[in-house]
């Protein structure tokens, strides 16, 4: 029979267990929403004090050079490169995921237009994170040149949707709702066979699953730093292109940070060579500097070790929920197949919103996504086996006592 | 005869003198570069601790609602509105100046194209801040529809350059090099007479000079928060459109934060009504939250009081430099005419770069811009009259001893 003590024992021998103390988490909270906003590395507090008090307050303008602010986009990019199968000099941290998607999508369409202007279709999932779809729609509308989106309703439909009219296949590697993990290598090969380029949104996979962009022969990637990478609320995003594509075309958000000679202040744009041409404007240093605190924790382990624990945690969660909560109307929407599972698990429940609110009240923080989906993120750097046990006990309690069935929990908060 | 004591006395009776202590500045530094990176408000340190330790570390994902992160773009925008002659609900803080310029320029061109597609010219100054020109070039190249820039070489040439082919007049209100202050009302009227729309870049004027966007009947404006507004290094920028133009067209960087129903996660973009449609992705909260500390200091005075002191400071600097340094090859490039002067003063010197380095070594921090321009920013919230005296004494010392004539000062640092 399963017991809580078993999981405490697993934590005590977990080779990754030592990382828990490098994060600052409130007591009496089981945080299963690190897939939305990662927890705070302990060191981020001292680093923020240093940036604000010393570097800004004392070093003032000189800190752009002397405190290394100017180098942060590349420096952080190089640390992320090691987590996503990219090489040194191929990644920069800058702007937001949405903005970076606009840059690489515009670049990819330009690369295609130069070769075959009849390719006008962008293929993606209807359940892709909405901002990805919106950005593609905004760019298509701006270009006003016949571009359109082809939205597929399931991963299985993707191969048939990639055709000779396809310019770009734009996929979020781990689906934000379902947790479905796409096969990057296989889909990229399929796209290339049809002459399409690939853009990978790594928001829900960077720091969550091993990624090998160059090994998969991918073309472009973007992603965020504030989920599994623990960069802090809204910390700037990252962007990667394959070495072959870096210098092929300009990206349209051609600000002075992407110029070949930024401080010559010339009145004509000439893009920097390499990934730096994907920089645009001056970055929010106080947010950006904190990203390094999270990345340096990743530097102490491997994505393979993290993946192993991630799968153990999600396996355990699924198993315990199915055992303990079998009588309730829960439907697992995350694949059981390891090959297609990211690091979060989603269950549908007819009153998912209210159940998640009731769980949060009990100190178990997951989140809710329309329609009916309860999401639980498992971040192997700081989620413990006993947390999984305790979370499922709390879920069982909420469902069996129907503590979610109150006005307070069932009334939607104003979220926009 | 002028004496240092005179200026100490002026500071002691200065009604704005009390604001100096609300900023944290290093001792033995005279900071005349607040036009590039504003000084740190004392309160920003405690606020950063609160955001990182409490809101992120303890409140975690809940802080988006409970700590008010979600409302920051509008909340800060409303505080900036009061400084730039905009109304409540017309300004949001988000992204960078470059990115916001792309949004409003694309919107302005769309508004024009819907009325008269033959308007294809964007008029601006050749000496505009380069990123503004680069962004316009990037958008023109992306649209690939015959758009071009018309660059004028002096403010006097602007009226003749605005013609019936002109879609947009895009001007930085205070020129970053010369400190020249354009007449917003006059130029806007000129543009409108020709059927052109105006975009005002307020980077060097927000918080530096009184601005009345609605009074001038302006169309679009963007600006940064890290110069005179003291928001912190690279803190997010702001964007304004006139009420009449807010809902007229979509802007192309259509991320989920600009959606009418952000959390409904619909697979089709529908812009929010009002200025919120100029939002795009998730913002860097740790940087963004600090902007309020600077804005709240502005809330304790008026732009008119600040302008009066700004002009007194720049008058004094010009007068003292011309008196004390008459024998040196200095050329004033900032207008003497108050109507056309911003809050920084620029002198050309054949070895401007080296002179600025030597001044910095003596604790007087100005900056250098190609070619030959030494810039000195006067930020009336924290610059004192005695600072002006001391800065000119230091300049005289550097020039008369030729302390700038060393390899160390004459060798350019790698700045890109």
């Amino acid at each position: 029979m399963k017991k809580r003590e078993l999981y405490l024992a697993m934590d005590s021998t977990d080779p990754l267990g030592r990382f828990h103390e490098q994060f600052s988490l409130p007591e009496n909270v089981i945080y299963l929403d690190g897939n939305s906003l990662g927890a705070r590395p302990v060191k981020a507090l001292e680093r923020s004090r240093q940036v604000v008090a010393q570097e800004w307050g004392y070093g003032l303008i000189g800190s752009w050079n002397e405190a290394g602010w100017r180098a942060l986009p590349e420096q952080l990019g190089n640390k992320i490169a090691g987590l996503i199968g990219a090489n040194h000099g191929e990644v920069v941290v800058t702007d937001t995921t949405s903005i970076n998607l606009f840059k690489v999508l515009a670049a990819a369409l330009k690369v295609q237009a130069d070769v075959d202007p009849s390719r006008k279709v962008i293929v993606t999932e209807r359940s892709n994170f909405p901002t990805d779809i919106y950005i593609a729609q905004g760019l298509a509308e701006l270009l006003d040149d016949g571009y359109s989106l082809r939205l597929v309703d399931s991963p299985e439909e993707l191969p048939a949707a990639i055709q000779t009219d396809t310019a770009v296949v734009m996929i979020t590697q781990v689906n934000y709702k379902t947790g479905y993990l796409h096969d990057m290598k296989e889909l990229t090969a399929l796209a290339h066979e049809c002459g399409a380029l690939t853009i990978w949104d790594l928001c829900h996979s960077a720091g969550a699953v091993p990624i090998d962009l160059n090994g998969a022969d991918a073309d472009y990637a973007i992603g965020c730093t504030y989920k599994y990478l623990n960069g802090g609320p809204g910390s700037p995003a990252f962007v990667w292109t394959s070495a072959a594509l870096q210098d092929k075309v300009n990206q349209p958000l051609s600000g002075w940070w992407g110029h070949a000679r930024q401080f010559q202040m010339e009145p004509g744009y000439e893009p920097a060579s390499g990934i730096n041409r994907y920089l645009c404007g001056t970055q929010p240093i106080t947010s950006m500097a904190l990203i390094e605190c999270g990345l340096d924790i990743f530097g102490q382990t491997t994505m393979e070790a993290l993946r192993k624990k991630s799968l153990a945690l999600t396996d355990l969660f699924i198993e315990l929920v199915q055992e303990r909560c079998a009588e309730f109307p829960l439907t697992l929407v995350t694949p059981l197949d390891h090959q297609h599972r990211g690091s979060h698990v989603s269950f549908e429940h007819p009153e998912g919103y209210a159940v998640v609110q009731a769980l949060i009240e009990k100190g178990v923080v997951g989140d809710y996504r329309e329609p009916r989906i309860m999401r639980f993120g498992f971040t192997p750097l700081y989620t413990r086996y006993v947390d999984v046990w305790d979370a499922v006990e709390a879920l069982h309690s909420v469902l069996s006592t129907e503590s979610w069935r109150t006005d307070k929990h069932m009334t939607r908060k104003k979220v926009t």
Side-chain angles (χ1 to χ4, degrees), chain A:
Chain A
M1 185 189 149
K2 301 211 168 57
K3 287 222 172 87
R4 190 171 191 272
E5 287 67 33
L6 175 64
Y7 302 102
L8 284 172
M10 280 172 72
D11 287 319
S12 70
T13 58
D14 173 14
L16 302 183
R18 67 195 170 96
F19 293 116
H20 188 271
E21 67 184 24
Q22 295 192 36
F23 292 88
S24 170
L25 282 158
E27 283 183 39
N28 305 319
V29 165
I30 296 172
Y31 192 59
L32 303 181
D33 209 8
N35 52 315
S36 189
L37 171 62
R40 172 170 81 77
V42 170
K43 288 193 175 162
L45 182 58
E46 170 55 20
R47 182 75 184 103
S48 71
R49 200 203 59 74
Q50 188 181 40
V51 172
V52 175
Q54 287 299 112
E55 296 176 11
W56 176 17
Y58 191 82
L60 290 157
I61 190 71
S63 289
W64 280 104
N65 287 314
E66 283 141 40
W69 292 349
R70 193 173 302 290
L72 280 174
E74 290 167 83
Q75 182 181 323
L76 299 172
N78 285 329
K79 291 197 177 187
I80 290 172
L83 303 177
I84 60 176
N87 294 321
H88 192 90
E90 289 181 353
V91 181
V92 281
V93 170
T94 189
D95 296 326
T96 66
T97 304
S98 299
I99 299 287
N100 288 336
L101 178 57
F102 188 91
K103 296 173 191 168
V104 298
L105 182 56
L109 294 181
K110 180 75 164 67
V111 169
Q112 292 288 34
D114 288 347
V115 178
D116 177 1
S118 74
R119 291 185 179 270
K120 297 286 192 195
V121 175
I122 300 158
V123 171
T124 192
E125 290 189 280
R126 191 181 307 281
S127 66
N128 196 349
F129 191 72
T131 211
D132 292 39
I133 297 175
Y134 302 161
I135 286 288
Q137 288 170 342
L139 179 59
E141 189 181 316
L142 181 71
L143 293 174
D144 191 22
D145 200 20
Y147 288 101
S148 67
L149 274 79
R150 181 175 297 143
L151 304 178
V152 305
D153 287 310
S154 74
E156 293 71 32
E157 290 175 24
L158 272 170
I162 303 170
Q163 300 169 4
T164 53
D165 62 359
T166 305
V168 172
V169 179
M170 176 182 95
I171 303 287
T172 298
Q173 192 188 11
V174 173
N175 186 287
Y176 82 103
K177 279 191 196 178
T178 62
Y180 184 96
L181 169 65
H182 290 276
D183 187 319
M184 182 183 282
K185 193 164 188 168
E186 192 179 291
L187 270 175
T188 300
L190 257 174
H192 287 179
E193 269 170 41
C194 282
L197 292 168
T198 55
I199 295 175
W200 290 94
D201 179 337
L202 307 179
C203 280
H204 287 269
S205 47
V209 301
I211 300 169
D212 189 2
L213 287 168
N214 280 317
D217 198 23
D219 301 301
Y220 298 95
I222 48 140
C224 99
T225 63
Y226 56 75
K227 297 179 186 290
Y228 293 93
L229 297 180
N230 309 301
S235 55
F238 64 86
V239 54
W240 169 86
T241 80
S242 73
L245 288 168
Q246 275 183 354
D247 291 345
K248 204 146 188 176
V249 294
N250 296 357
Q251 62 85 9
L253 299 176
S254 47
W256 68 315
W257 278 73
H259 195 282
R261 294 167 299 278
Q262 183 184 0
F263 281 92
Q264 289 301 308
M265 304 290 195
E266 301 162 14
Y269 184 73
E270 184 187 317
S273 64
I275 193 66
N276 277 8
R277 70 172 56 183
Y278 284 82
L279 300 178
C280 179
T282 303
Q283 292 301 298
I285 296 301
T286 316
S287 279
M288 190 179 242
L290 306 190
I291 297 172
E292 198 155 23
C293 304
L295 295 179
D296 286 345
I297 303 177
F298 280 92
Q300 302 165 46
T301 178
T302 65
M303 283 311 305
E304 288 62 36
L306 290 166
R307 176 63 170 166
K308 193 175 161 195
K309 183 171 171 195
S310 160
L311 286 170
L313 291 167
T314 54
D315 273 346
L316 178 63
F317 183 72
I318 293 168
E319 182 193 319
L320 289 176
V321 170
Q322 291 183 331
E323 256 181 45
R324 292 282 288 147
C325 306
E327 78 255 45
F328 304 108
L330 292 170
T331 311
L332 178 68
V333 296
T334 300
L336 279 172
D337 177 5
H338 284 183
Q339 271 196 297
H340 289 299
R341 192 192 304 162
S343 202
H344 70 270
V345 174
S346 299
F347 282 95
E348 278 193 1
H349 183 283
E351 295 290 345
Y353 179 84
V355 173
V356 165
Q357 304 316 308
L359 271 173
I360 291 172
E361 195 177 64
K362 288 180 81 77
V364 177
V365 180
D367 70 10
Y368 172 78
R369 284 293 177 257
E370 294 291 350
R372 296 181 300 279
I373 286 182
M374 310 192 296
R375 289 196 310 183
F376 303 94
F378 298 88
T379 45
L381 280 175
Y382 53 84
T383 307
R384 297 168 298 199
Y385 292 100
V386 75
D387 295 332
V388 177
W389 172 269
D390 289 343
V392 177
E393 287 304 294
L395 178 63
H396 180 264
S397 162
V398 163
L399 292 172
S400 57
T401 63
E402 296 201 348
S403 70
W404 55 268
R405 204 183 279 281
T406 68
D407 283 351
K408 185 178 72 173
H409 292 138
M410 295 180 78
T411 306
R412 301 294 170 99
K413 278 181 203 149
K414 187 171 174 293
V415 282
T416 53

